[in-house]
Amino acid sequence: MIRAAILGYGNIGGGVAEVITKNQDQVAKAVGDSVEIKYVLDLREFPGDPMEKKVVHDIDTIINDPEIKVIAETMGGDEPAYTFTKKALEAGKSVCTSNKELVANHGPELMRIAKEHDCNYFIEASVGGGIPIIRTLNEALKQEHILNVTGIVNGTTNYILTKMEKEGAAYADVLKQAQDLGYAERNPEADVEGYDACRKIAILSSLMSGKNVDFKEVYTEGITKIGAEDFLYAKKMGKTIKLLAMSKKEENGYNVMVAPFYLGENHPLYPVNDVFNAVFVKGDMLDDSMYYGRGAGKLPTASAVVADMIQAAKNLGRNLPVEWSDEKETVLPVENTSRAFFVRLDINQVTPQQALDAFGGTLVEVEELSDEVGILTKVMTEKDCKAKCEALKGVKGVIRVEA
């Protein structure tokens, strides 16, 4: 029997216990041995819970127990998760995490410590919930040079944008609904400002590169400025709006960004709605592939953690190498990237012809918005678009366009 521990008995930690308990036959079959949860670390007590008698409050109880070989870290946040994870790895215990903040902050260091102590630091659940995108990049596509990754990797923002589009609801109303349903936190900043997606695309970019992509260098823009008017234009153009996390390999570094984009009906991410996530990957040999599923939630994320625990249990005493070094990867300035933009303009301050003269492209008018006009611009750099917007009066909003 392989004995394991869970650090943090919240939503995901509880899900890990549930998956291992309810699917114990499947887990045992996959490992070749049974897996038992011996400890659950939390500050709280859980009277009446199936794990009630396994709750401990001191991490050293777990670290100092030689029976514990595999640990699920589902605490979230940087500390004390970082300290606990480091101690566990240094003790030769494999750690499987859903904590994208910890992975983005300390991924290469923790991978190195795991290698030095013949154990593993597995991170599947840190990106895409139940979608096995990490394992796909690390194993199934290892023979490929990954050229770019584009994904919808935050279920909360995708749910909000879907409701705004389908129901014509206001951003604030949908956000409250998402909070009531448990899709959004009471403080939703990490989701709606794009920070969660930023950490995830930094992790994926690091795995693409083999070097460390610092999330703090990734241009990040959230959805808080998206309004009902933007979706009226989307409908007029046959497009939708999605928060995309993008990473593209260039000769001298990586173009990485998170921002809302207009997508046309032919884009593979166009139909991805509600809390679902999808990641679109282009390899140099395979070309295009896409990975779709529930990107968040208790059981989908817990399932990904348990999949890693199975891998850890099958490889006790043996490190499975992951290419992610401490060496810094170059994140290229977003100003030099080129694309089309959609610019909304107040016609009381600028005429449609002035807008066309400035941006080129196509005029888009919506009957319900009589005091403004939209311009679907020609392809230009981010720097040029910004300069043109600053030179014109009456710019009400700008959204990027992905072909």
Side-chain angles (χ1 to χ4, degrees), residues 371-388:
D371 63 343
E372 65 175 74
V373 69
I375 299 288
L376 181 57
T377 76
K378 63 182 182 181
V379 173
M380 63 183 68
T381 65
E382 292 266 350
K383 183 179 180 180
D384 285 346
C385 183
K386 182 179 180 181
K388 291 175 186 296

Side-chain angles (χ1 to χ4, degrees), residues 263-298:
L263 301 182
E265 294 177 350
N266 293 327
H267 195 285
L269 297 176
Y270 177 92
V272 180
N273 290 318
D274 296 312
V275 295
F276 283 87
N277 282 192
V279 181
F280 184 73
V281 179
K282 180 180 283 291
D284 64 337
M285 297 296 158
L286 175 65
D287 199 29
D288 297 337
S289 59
M290 193 165 84
Y291 308 88
Y292 171 85
R294 290 192 175 274
K298 175 181 177 179

Side-chain angles (χ1 to χ4, degrees), residues 156-192:
T156 300
T157 51
N158 206 42
Y159 173 85
I160 291 171
L161 293 173
T162 299
K163 287 290 183 180
M164 289 177 70
E165 178 180 31
K166 305 299 183 187
E167 300 177 6
Y171 167 80
D173 294 336
V174 182
L175 173 59
K176 185 178 184 306
Q177 187 180 72
Q179 290 172 321
D180 292 342
L181 290 169
Y183 295 150
E185 301 289 342
R186 289 299 106 186
N187 178 1
E189 183 181 28
D191 292 320
V192 299

Side-chain angles (χ1 to χ4, degrees), residues 64-342:
N64 295 331
D65 188 335
E67 287 193 332
I68 298 299
K69 306 294 185 185
V70 179
I71 294 173
E73 186 274 296
T74 56
M75 303 178 71
D78 195 79
E79 284 290 4
Y82 168 67
T83 298
F84 292 174
T85 297
K86 189 174 179 180
K87 290 180 73 170
L89 294 172
E90 289 172 341
K93 304 175 191 295
S94 290
V95 178
C96 309
T97 186
S98 60
N99 188 342
K100 84 277 294 183
E101 182 177 349
L102 182 62
V103 176
N105 286 345
H106 306 286
E109 178 194 2
L110 296 173
M111 296 281 185
R112 175 175 47 78
I113 293 171
K115 184 176 182 179
E116 290 170 353
H117 293 85
D118 297 319
C119 56
N120 289 286
Y121 185 53
F122 287 136
I123 62 172
E124 183 63 67
S126 67
V127 178
I131 303 172
I133 186 60
I134 301 289
R135 191 166 289 112
T136 297
L137 293 178
N138 280 344
E139 298 177 18
L141 299 182
K142 205 60 187 174
Q143 73 284 1
E144 297 278 330
H145 293 292
I146 304 301
L147 304 179
N148 64 65
V149 168
T150 302
I152 295 169
V153 295
N154 183 275
T156 300
T157 51
N158 206 42
Y159 173 85
I160 291 171
L161 293 173
T162 299
K163 287 290 183 180
M164 289 177 70
E165 178 180 31
K166 305 299 183 187
E167 300 177 6
Y171 167 80
D173 294 336
V174 182
L175 173 59
K176 185 178 184 306
Q177 187 180 72
Q179 290 172 321
D180 292 342
L181 290 169
Y183 295 150
E185 301 289 342
R186 289 299 106 186
N187 178 1
E189 183 181 28
D191 292 320
V192 299
E193 294 292 356
Y195 306 146
D196 175 83
C198 170
R199 288 187 171 93
K200 290 173 179 176
I201 196 62
I203 293 168
L204 294 180
S205 299
S206 298
L207 295 174
M208 290 166 63
S209 164
K211 301 177 185 178
N212 191 44
V213 172
D214 187 346
F215 72 92
K216 294 185 288 295
E217 296 182 1
V218 175
Y219 177 85
T220 302
E221 188 177 310
I223 66 166
T224 55
K225 296 179 182 178
I226 303 296
E229 299 87 353
D230 299 304
F231 281 105
L232 290 174
Y233 284 112
K235 183 177 180 181
K236 179 79 172 183
M237 295 186 291
K239 298 182 183 295
T240 188
I241 302 172
K242 302 294 183 186
L243 182 70
L244 297 186
M246 312 171 74
S247 181
K248 184 177 181 181
K249 178 178 173 58
E250 303 286 1
E251 186 176 346
N252 55 343
Y254 280 75
N255 281 317
V256 193
M257 73 181 305
V258 172
F261 277 80
Y262 277 113
L263 301 182
E265 294 177 350
N266 293 327
H267 195 285
L269 297 176
Y270 177 92
V272 180
N273 290 318
D274 296 312
V275 295
F276 283 87
N277 282 192
V279 181
F280 184 73
V281 179
K282 180 180 283 291
D284 64 337
M285 297 296 158
L286 175 65
D287 199 29
D288 297 337
S289 59
M290 193 165 84
Y291 308 88
Y292 171 85
R294 290 192 175 274
K298 175 181 177 179
L299 292 178
T301 304
S303 179
V305 175
V306 174
D308 276 350
M309 295 175 75
I310 289 170
Q311 279 290 94
K314 291 170 67 176
N315 292 278
L316 296 178
R318 182 165 72 103
N319 177 261
L320 300 181
V322 175
E323 284 190 53
W324 185 355
S325 74
D326 291 296
E327 184 180 351
K328 188 178 176 62
E329 181 59 86
T330 301
V331 177
L332 300 171
V334 70
E335 290 81 7
N336 297 330
T337 58
S338 297
R339 55 181 50 89
F341 298 83
F342 188 80

